Amino acid sequence: MDWKTFQALLSGVNKYSTAFGRIWLSVVFVFRVMVYVVAAERVWGDEQKDFDCNTKQPGCANVCYDHYFPISHIRLWALQLIFITCPSFMVVMHVAYRDDRERRHRAKHGDDAKLYNNTGKKHGGLWWTYLISLFVKTAIEAAFLYILHRVYKSFYLPRVVKCEVVPCPNVVDCYVGHPTEKKVFTYFMVGASALCIVLNICEIIYLISKRIVRITNKFKRRNRDRAVHHDNYTDDPFNNCSMPMTRLEVIDKKDRPPSFKTANKSAHRVSTLRLEKKIRASAPNLSTAS
């Protein structure tokens, strides 16, 4: 398998990833691909030849090996690495689709016309594509861990296995080659896979929380704009004024002109006082005439 070509294909994913995505890609290449290529392949290089049974019955060793090791660790990990990196190509393909749409849009409407501000920015459909790719990668990692756990019984590799499968004549002891070394590499690869699952979950939480914060700020900004607009026009009940009034321009209640009821009371009181004065002024004249 040409891992250099594989790395070149995934290098384009790095510029569209978040910080957690870049860490995930580094873990995949450093702790999984490099360990797989440099050390793990050599440990499992010719594992069937190192599987020795204490019998010379033809076919017994092959049958026992197939019974206890139905799937080779090294091939299972190779499939796992291929499958977990395939969802990342969804993001690259989506960005390539956006680039093609942007190119056709500019060819049709001119170079100044823009369909996307940034084709690699995770907004709209690309955000959903990226989020779905994270869920798919997490599900694939968990599925392969379950398969490894199910087939090899808690990732454990015994030194000796007892086999009584036909055509073995009786219970045969078979010995696994380099059992401790294989066990160490198994636990290491399982730990790296678990770390990748944790990073994927952290990135999912980061993307969703960032999206929620952005939507919340958008709603707050919209409500604030509505409140400002309402406050500017609340002083004009008919909304006829050419210039919106502010709260500082509202006349204080003490300086407002009297209402109709207050003015009517004052006028009635003034007329009553004038009538009383006339009566008092005419009273001495009446007494003199009598």
Side-chain angles (χ1 to χ4, degrees), residues 17-44:
S17 302
T18 61
F20 290 103
R22 295 186 182 97
I23 296 173
W24 175 86
L25 200 60
S26 301
V27 170
V28 167
F29 277 111
V30 175
F31 293 102
R32 299 180 74 173
V33 175
M34 293 296 294
V35 171
Y36 177 90
V37 174
V38 173
E41 276 189 325
R42 296 181 182 180
V43 174
W44 272 272

Short mmCIF file of all heavy atoms in Angstrom, two decimals, residues 17-44:
data_model
loop_
_atom_site.label_atom_id
_atom_site.label_comp_id
_atom_site.label_asym_id
_atom_site.label_seq_id
_atom_site.Cartn_x
_atom_site.Cartn_y
_atom_site.Cartn_z
N SER A 17 -9.81 21.95 8.21
CA SER A 17 -10.15 21.37 9.51
C SER A 17 -10.04 22.42 10.61
O SER A 17 -9.37 23.45 10.46
CB SER A 17 -9.25 20.18 9.83
OG SER A 17 -9.35 19.19 8.84
N THR A 18 -10.68 22.13 11.73
CA THR A 18 -10.52 22.94 12.93
C THR A 18 -9.25 22.51 13.66
O THR A 18 -8.50 21.65 13.19
CB THR A 18 -11.75 22.77 13.85
OG1 THR A 18 -11.84 21.38 14.24
CG2 THR A 18 -13.02 23.15 13.12
N ALA A 19 -9.01 23.09 14.83
CA ALA A 19 -7.82 22.73 15.61
C ALA A 19 -7.88 21.27 16.05
O ALA A 19 -6.87 20.55 15.99
CB ALA A 19 -7.71 23.64 16.83
N PHE A 20 -9.08 20.82 16.45
CA PHE A 20 -9.23 19.41 16.83
C PHE A 20 -9.01 18.50 15.63
O PHE A 20 -8.44 17.41 15.77
CB PHE A 20 -10.61 19.17 17.43
CG PHE A 20 -10.82 19.80 18.77
CD1 PHE A 20 -11.55 20.96 18.91
CD2 PHE A 20 -10.27 19.23 19.91
CE1 PHE A 20 -11.75 21.55 20.14
CE2 PHE A 20 -10.46 19.81 21.16
CZ PHE A 20 -11.20 20.98 21.27
N GLY A 21 -9.46 18.93 14.45
CA GLY A 21 -9.26 18.12 13.25
C GLY A 21 -7.80 17.99 12.89
O GLY A 21 -7.35 16.92 12.44
N ARG A 22 -7.03 19.05 13.08
CA ARG A 22 -5.59 18.99 12.79
C ARG A 22 -4.87 18.06 13.77
O ARG A 22 -3.96 17.32 13.39
CB ARG A 22 -4.99 20.39 12.82
CG ARG A 22 -5.52 21.31 11.72
CD ARG A 22 -4.79 22.63 11.70
NE ARG A 22 -5.35 23.52 10.69
CZ ARG A 22 -6.24 24.47 10.94
NH1 ARG A 22 -6.66 24.67 12.19
NH2 ARG A 22 -6.71 25.23 9.97
N ILE A 23 -5.29 18.12 15.04
CA ILE A 23 -4.70 17.20 16.02
C ILE A 23 -5.05 15.76 15.67
O ILE A 23 -4.20 14.86 15.76
CB ILE A 23 -5.20 17.56 17.44
CG1 ILE A 23 -4.70 18.96 17.84
CG2 ILE A 23 -4.72 16.54 18.45
CD1 ILE A 23 -5.29 19.46 19.14
N TRP A 24 -6.31 15.54 15.26
CA TRP A 24 -6.73 14.18 14.87
C TRP A 24 -5.90 13.66 13.70
O TRP A 24 -5.46 12.52 13.71
CB TRP A 24 -8.21 14.22 14.50
CG TRP A 24 -8.72 12.91 13.97
CD1 TRP A 24 -9.20 11.87 14.70
CD2 TRP A 24 -8.79 12.50 12.59
NE1 TRP A 24 -9.56 10.83 13.88
CE2 TRP A 24 -9.33 11.19 12.58
CE3 TRP A 24 -8.47 13.11 11.39
CZ2 TRP A 24 -9.54 10.49 11.39
CZ3 TRP A 24 -8.67 12.42 10.21
CH2 TRP A 24 -9.20 11.13 10.21
N LEU A 25 -5.66 14.52 12.71
CA LEU A 25 -4.88 14.11 11.55
C LEU A 25 -3.44 13.81 11.94
O LEU A 25 -2.82 12.85 11.44
CB LEU A 25 -4.92 15.20 10.49
CG LEU A 25 -4.59 14.80 9.05
CD1 LEU A 25 -5.55 13.75 8.55
CD2 LEU A 25 -4.61 16.02 8.15
N SER A 26 -2.88 14.59 12.86
CA SER A 26 -1.52 14.32 13.34
C SER A 26 -1.44 13.01 14.09
O SER A 26 -0.48 12.23 13.91
CB SER A 26 -1.05 15.47 14.24
OG SER A 26 -1.07 16.70 13.55
N VAL A 27 -2.43 12.73 14.92
CA VAL A 27 -2.45 11.46 15.66
C VAL A 27 -2.56 10.28 14.70
O VAL A 27 -1.89 9.26 14.86
CB VAL A 27 -3.62 11.46 16.68
CG1 VAL A 27 -3.82 10.07 17.27
CG2 VAL A 27 -3.36 12.46 17.78
N VAL A 28 -3.40 10.43 13.66
CA VAL A 28 -3.57 9.34 12.69
C VAL A 28 -2.25 9.04 11.99
O VAL A 28 -1.87 7.86 11.84
CB VAL A 28 -4.67 9.69 11.68
CG1 VAL A 28 -4.65 8.73 10.49
CG2 VAL A 28 -6.04 9.65 12.34
N PHE A 29 -1.54 10.06 11.56
CA PHE A 29 -0.32 9.83 10.79
C PHE A 29 0.87 9.44 11.67
O PHE A 29 1.66 8.57 11.31
CB PHE A 29 0.04 11.07 9.97
CG PHE A 29 -0.71 11.13 8.68
CD1 PHE A 29 -1.68 12.09 8.47
CD2 PHE A 29 -0.45 10.24 7.65
CE1 PHE A 29 -2.39 12.15 7.29
CE2 PHE A 29 -1.15 10.28 6.46
CZ PHE A 29 -2.12 11.25 6.28
N VAL A 30 1.01 10.09 12.81
CA VAL A 30 2.19 9.85 13.64
C VAL A 30 2.03 8.57 14.46
O VAL A 30 2.91 7.71 14.48
CB VAL A 30 2.45 11.06 14.56
CG1 VAL A 30 3.61 10.76 15.51
CG2 VAL A 30 2.77 12.29 13.74
N PHE A 31 0.90 8.43 15.16
CA PHE A 31 0.75 7.32 16.09
C PHE A 31 0.08 6.09 15.48
O PHE A 31 0.01 5.06 16.15
CB PHE A 31 -0.08 7.77 17.31
CG PHE A 31 0.62 8.79 18.15
CD1 PHE A 31 0.28 10.13 18.05
CD2 PHE A 31 1.62 8.43 19.03
CE1 PHE A 31 0.92 11.09 18.82
CE2 PHE A 31 2.26 9.37 19.80
CZ PHE A 31 1.92 10.70 19.69
N ARG A 32 -0.41 6.21 14.25
CA ARG A 32 -1.08 5.05 13.66
C ARG A 32 -0.42 4.63 12.35
O ARG A 32 0.03 3.49 12.20
CB ARG A 32 -2.57 5.35 13.47
CG ARG A 32 -3.26 5.66 14.79
CD ARG A 32 -4.71 5.96 14.63
NE ARG A 32 -5.50 4.76 14.34
CZ ARG A 32 -6.81 4.75 14.28
NH1 ARG A 32 -7.49 5.87 14.48
NH2 ARG A 32 -7.45 3.62 14.02
N VAL A 33 -0.37 5.55 11.39
CA VAL A 33 0.21 5.18 10.09
C VAL A 33 1.70 4.90 10.22
O VAL A 33 2.21 3.89 9.70
CB VAL A 33 -0.06 6.28 9.05
CG1 VAL A 33 0.63 5.98 7.74
CG2 VAL A 33 -1.56 6.45 8.82
N MET A 34 2.43 5.79 10.93
CA MET A 34 3.88 5.60 11.06
C MET A 34 4.21 4.34 11.86
O MET A 34 5.09 3.57 11.49
CB MET A 34 4.50 6.82 11.73
CG MET A 34 4.44 8.09 10.88
SD MET A 34 5.39 7.95 9.34
CE MET A 34 7.04 7.83 9.98
N VAL A 35 3.47 4.13 12.95
CA VAL A 35 3.70 2.92 13.75
C VAL A 35 3.33 1.69 12.94
O VAL A 35 4.02 0.66 13.00
CB VAL A 35 2.88 3.00 15.06
CG1 VAL A 35 2.92 1.67 15.79
CG2 VAL A 35 3.42 4.10 15.95
N TYR A 36 2.27 1.79 12.17
CA TYR A 36 1.85 0.66 11.32
C TYR A 36 2.92 0.32 10.29
O TYR A 36 3.28 -0.84 10.12
CB TYR A 36 0.54 1.03 10.64
CG TYR A 36 0.01 -0.02 9.68
CD1 TYR A 36 -0.85 -1.02 10.13
CD2 TYR A 36 0.36 -0.01 8.35
CE1 TYR A 36 -1.33 -1.98 9.26
CE2 TYR A 36 -0.11 -0.97 7.47
CZ TYR A 36 -0.95 -1.95 7.93
OH TYR A 36 -1.42 -2.90 7.07
N VAL A 37 3.43 1.35 9.60
CA VAL A 37 4.38 1.11 8.51
C VAL A 37 5.75 0.70 9.05
O VAL A 37 6.39 -0.23 8.54
CB VAL A 37 4.50 2.37 7.62
CG1 VAL A 37 5.60 2.20 6.59
CG2 VAL A 37 3.17 2.65 6.95
N VAL A 38 6.22 1.38 10.10
CA VAL A 38 7.59 1.17 10.58
C VAL A 38 7.73 -0.11 11.40
O VAL A 38 8.67 -0.89 11.22
CB VAL A 38 8.06 2.39 11.39
CG1 VAL A 38 9.42 2.12 12.03
CG2 VAL A 38 8.13 3.62 10.50
N ALA A 39 6.78 -0.36 12.31
CA ALA A 39 6.97 -1.46 13.27
C ALA A 39 5.94 -2.56 13.18
O ALA A 39 6.29 -3.75 13.20
CB ALA A 39 6.98 -0.88 14.69
N ALA A 40 4.67 -2.20 13.08
CA ALA A 40 3.62 -3.22 13.21
C ALA A 40 3.65 -4.23 12.08
O ALA A 40 3.45 -5.44 12.30
CB ALA A 40 2.25 -2.54 13.27
N GLU A 41 3.92 -3.78 10.87
CA GLU A 41 3.95 -4.71 9.73
C GLU A 41 5.05 -5.75 9.89
O GLU A 41 4.89 -6.91 9.48
CB GLU A 41 4.15 -3.94 8.42
CG GLU A 41 2.86 -3.39 7.84
CD GLU A 41 3.06 -2.82 6.44
OE1 GLU A 41 4.14 -2.24 6.20
OE2 GLU A 41 2.15 -2.93 5.62
N ARG A 42 6.16 -5.36 10.49
CA ARG A 42 7.27 -6.30 10.68
C ARG A 42 6.95 -7.32 11.76
O ARG A 42 7.34 -8.49 11.67
CB ARG A 42 8.54 -5.54 11.01
CG ARG A 42 9.01 -4.62 9.90
CD ARG A 42 10.29 -3.90 10.25
NE ARG A 42 10.71 -3.00 9.19
CZ ARG A 42 11.79 -2.23 9.23
NH1 ARG A 42 12.59 -2.27 10.30
NH2 ARG A 42 12.08 -1.43 8.21
N VAL A 43 6.24 -6.88 12.79
CA VAL A 43 5.89 -7.81 13.87
C VAL A 43 4.94 -8.88 13.36
O VAL A 43 5.06 -10.06 13.68
CB VAL A 43 5.28 -7.03 15.06
CG1 VAL A 43 4.78 -8.00 16.12
CG2 VAL A 43 6.30 -6.09 15.64
N TRP A 44 3.97 -8.48 12.53
CA TRP A 44 3.01 -9.43 11.97
C TRP A 44 3.41 -9.84 10.54
O TRP A 44 2.56 -10.25 9.76
CB TRP A 44 1.62 -8.81 11.92
CG TRP A 44 0.83 -9.00 13.18
CD1 TRP A 44 0.03 -10.04 13.50
CD2 TRP A 44 0.74 -8.09 14.28
NE1 TRP A 44 -0.54 -9.85 14.72
CE2 TRP A 44 -0.12 -8.65 15.23
CE3 TRP A 44 1.33 -6.85 14.57
CZ2 TRP A 44 -0.44 -8.04 16.43
CZ3 TRP A 44 1.01 -6.24 15.76
CH2 TRP A 44 0.14 -6.82 16.68
#
